[in-house]
Amino acid sequence: MHILLIEDMDSDAELIRLELLGEWPSLRFDWADTRQALSQVLANPPPDLVLCDSRLPGLHGAEILELVTVAWPQTPLVFCVGSPDGDPILQPVLPRAAALVDKNRLQALVPTIKRVMAAPRPH
């Protein structure tokens, strides 16, 4: 499996990476922590899944969802955020994401990814 993580906090990225490697030891894991890094990675072939925080410096999760959807329309995006209910800008776009996981409950991350990856994808 190949996952792109869009996250600007090193500590959060490492916790997420460790949670995923516990289930998928051979996981290919890319990480974008700035707008520039995200722009570069969006030019590559798509990963199997995108995990995304609610914001990067200067870039909100709603904008990130749009960029990812345009670049990789078949790739599911799961928001992995610290305060799921605390971001009014993110709330309207949540239905367009594949799922939402609370960073404070990372034990839900692997089951959520398995559910998302097993779901049929639009063509």
Side-chain angles (χ1 to χ4, degrees), residues 21-54:
L21 287 174
E23 181 68 25
W24 297 288
S26 61
L27 174 72
R28 182 170 159 216
F29 186 84
D30 292 331
W31 178 27
D33 60 350
T34 65
R35 178 189 285 263
Q36 181 179 358
L38 178 59
S39 294
Q40 290 173 345
V41 79
L42 288 174
N44 296 333
D48 297 306
L49 180 86
V50 174
L51 290 176
C52 181
D53 193 4
S54 61

